[in-house]
PDB file of all heavy atoms in Angstrom:
ATOM      1  N   VAL A 162      -3.578  -3.215  -5.639  1.00  0.00           N
ATOM      2  CA  VAL A 162      -5.016  -3.137  -5.412  1.00  0.00           C
ATOM      3  C   VAL A 162      -5.831  -3.843  -6.486  1.00  0.00           C
ATOM      4  O   VAL A 162      -7.045  -3.925  -6.386  1.00  0.00           O
ATOM      5  CB  VAL A 162      -5.499  -1.671  -5.284  1.00  0.00           C
ATOM      6  CG1 VAL A 162      -4.970  -1.047  -4.019  1.00  0.00           C
ATOM      7  CG2 VAL A 162      -5.116  -0.856  -6.497  1.00  0.00           C
ATOM      8  N   GLY A 163      -5.182  -4.338  -7.506  1.00  0.00           N
ATOM      9  CA  GLY A 163      -5.896  -5.025  -8.570  1.00  0.00           C
ATOM     10  C   GLY A 163      -4.911  -5.628  -9.534  1.00  0.00           C
ATOM     11  O   GLY A 163      -3.701  -5.576  -9.321  1.00  0.00           O
ATOM     12  N   ASP A 164      -5.443  -6.176 -10.579  1.00  0.00           N
ATOM     13  CA  ASP A 164      -4.632  -6.831 -11.591  1.00  0.00           C
ATOM     14  C   ASP A 164      -3.673  -5.825 -12.222  1.00  0.00           C
ATOM     15  O   ASP A 164      -4.047  -5.078 -13.124  1.00  0.00           O
ATOM     16  CB  ASP A 164      -5.545  -7.461 -12.646  1.00  0.00           C
ATOM     17  CG  ASP A 164      -4.771  -8.308 -13.636  1.00  0.00           C
ATOM     18  OD1 ASP A 164      -3.690  -8.810 -13.272  1.00  0.00           O
ATOM     19  OD2 ASP A 164      -5.254  -8.469 -14.767  1.00  0.00           O
ATOM     20  N   GLY A 165      -2.450  -5.774 -11.719  1.00  0.00           N
ATOM     21  CA  GLY A 165      -1.440  -4.873 -12.252  1.00  0.00           C
ATOM     22  C   GLY A 165      -1.616  -3.431 -11.834  1.00  0.00           C
ATOM     23  O   GLY A 165      -0.905  -2.548 -12.316  1.00  0.00           O
ATOM     24  N   LEU A 166      -2.542  -3.126 -10.939  1.00  0.00           N
ATOM     25  CA  LEU A 166      -2.798  -1.762 -10.491  1.00  0.00           C
ATOM     26  C   LEU A 166      -2.151  -1.558  -9.126  1.00  0.00           C
ATOM     27  O   LEU A 166      -2.515  -2.220  -8.154  1.00  0.00           O
ATOM     28  CB  LEU A 166      -4.301  -1.505 -10.417  1.00  0.00           C
ATOM     29  CG  LEU A 166      -4.750  -0.088 -10.196  1.00  0.00           C
ATOM     30  CD1 LEU A 166      -4.257   0.829 -11.319  1.00  0.00           C
ATOM     31  CD2 LEU A 166      -6.265  -0.032 -10.113  1.00  0.00           C
ATOM     32  N   THR A 167      -1.177  -0.639  -9.070  1.00  0.00           N
ATOM     33  CA  THR A 167      -0.406  -0.424  -7.856  1.00  0.00           C
ATOM     34  C   THR A 167      -0.485   1.022  -7.415  1.00  0.00           C
ATOM     35  O   THR A 167      -0.347   1.938  -8.227  1.00  0.00           O
ATOM     36  CB  THR A 167       1.073  -0.804  -8.098  1.00  0.00           C
ATOM     37  OG1 THR A 167       1.140  -2.167  -8.503  1.00  0.00           O
ATOM     38  CG2 THR A 167       1.897  -0.628  -6.842  1.00  0.00           C
ATOM     39  N   ILE A 168      -0.695   1.225  -6.127  1.00  0.00           N
ATOM     40  CA  ILE A 168      -0.639   2.558  -5.535  1.00  0.00           C
ATOM     41  C   ILE A 168       0.717   2.689  -4.860  1.00  0.00           C
ATOM     42  O   ILE A 168       1.101   1.845  -4.048  1.00  0.00           O
ATOM     43  CB  ILE A 168      -1.781   2.764  -4.529  1.00  0.00           C
ATOM     44  CG1 ILE A 168      -3.116   2.709  -5.256  1.00  0.00           C
ATOM     45  CG2 ILE A 168      -1.611   4.089  -3.791  1.00  0.00           C
ATOM     46  CD1 ILE A 168      -4.315   2.756  -4.354  1.00  0.00           C
ATOM     47  N   ALA A 169       1.446   3.740  -5.213  1.00  0.00           N
ATOM     48  CA  ALA A 169       2.773   3.978  -4.638  1.00  0.00           C
ATOM     49  C   ALA A 169       2.652   4.893  -3.425  1.00  0.00           C
ATOM     50  O   ALA A 169       1.726   5.698  -3.316  1.00  0.00           O
ATOM     51  CB  ALA A 169       3.685   4.610  -5.688  1.00  0.00           C
ATOM     52  N   ASN A 170       3.600   4.752  -2.513  1.00  0.00           N
ATOM     53  CA  ASN A 170       3.692   5.614  -1.324  1.00  0.00           C
ATOM     54  C   ASN A 170       2.370   5.692  -0.572  1.00  0.00           C
ATOM     55  O   ASN A 170       1.888   6.770  -0.235  1.00  0.00           O
ATOM     56  CB  ASN A 170       4.173   7.015  -1.722  1.00  0.00           C
ATOM     57  CG  ASN A 170       5.488   6.956  -2.465  1.00  0.00           C
ATOM     58  OD1 ASN A 170       6.410   6.264  -2.052  1.00  0.00           O
ATOM     59  ND2 ASN A 170       5.574   7.651  -3.584  1.00  0.00           N
ATOM     60  N   ALA A 171       1.789   4.536  -0.313  1.00  0.00           N
ATOM     61  CA  ALA A 171       0.482   4.454   0.341  1.00  0.00           C
ATOM     62  C   ALA A 171       0.605   4.709   1.838  1.00  0.00           C
ATOM     63  O   ALA A 171       1.425   4.098   2.517  1.00  0.00           O
ATOM     64  CB  ALA A 171      -0.138   3.084   0.095  1.00  0.00           C
ATOM     65  N   ASP A 172      -0.214   5.611   2.347  1.00  0.00           N
ATOM     66  CA  ASP A 172      -0.316   5.902   3.771  1.00  0.00           C
ATOM     67  C   ASP A 172      -1.710   5.454   4.200  1.00  0.00           C
ATOM     68  O   ASP A 172      -2.715   6.066   3.831  1.00  0.00           O
ATOM     69  CB  ASP A 172      -0.118   7.405   4.008  1.00  0.00           C
ATOM     70  CG  ASP A 172      -0.231   7.791   5.472  1.00  0.00           C
ATOM     71  OD1 ASP A 172      -0.419   6.901   6.326  1.00  0.00           O
ATOM     72  OD2 ASP A 172      -0.154   9.003   5.753  1.00  0.00           O
ATOM     73  N   ILE A 173      -1.770   4.362   4.950  1.00  0.00           N
ATOM     74  CA  ILE A 173      -3.030   3.700   5.278  1.00  0.00           C
ATOM     75  C   ILE A 173      -3.286   3.784   6.773  1.00  0.00           C
ATOM     76  O   ILE A 173      -2.371   3.621   7.583  1.00  0.00           O
ATOM     77  CB  ILE A 173      -2.975   2.212   4.866  1.00  0.00           C
ATOM     78  CG1 ILE A 173      -2.650   2.105   3.379  1.00  0.00           C
ATOM     79  CG2 ILE A 173      -4.272   1.501   5.212  1.00  0.00           C
ATOM     80  CD1 ILE A 173      -2.166   0.745   2.957  1.00  0.00           C
TER      81      ILE A 173
END
Side-chain angles (χ1 to χ4, degrees):
V162 292
D164 187 26
L166 190 60
T167 301
I168 296 174
N170 304 314
D172 179 2
I173 303 162

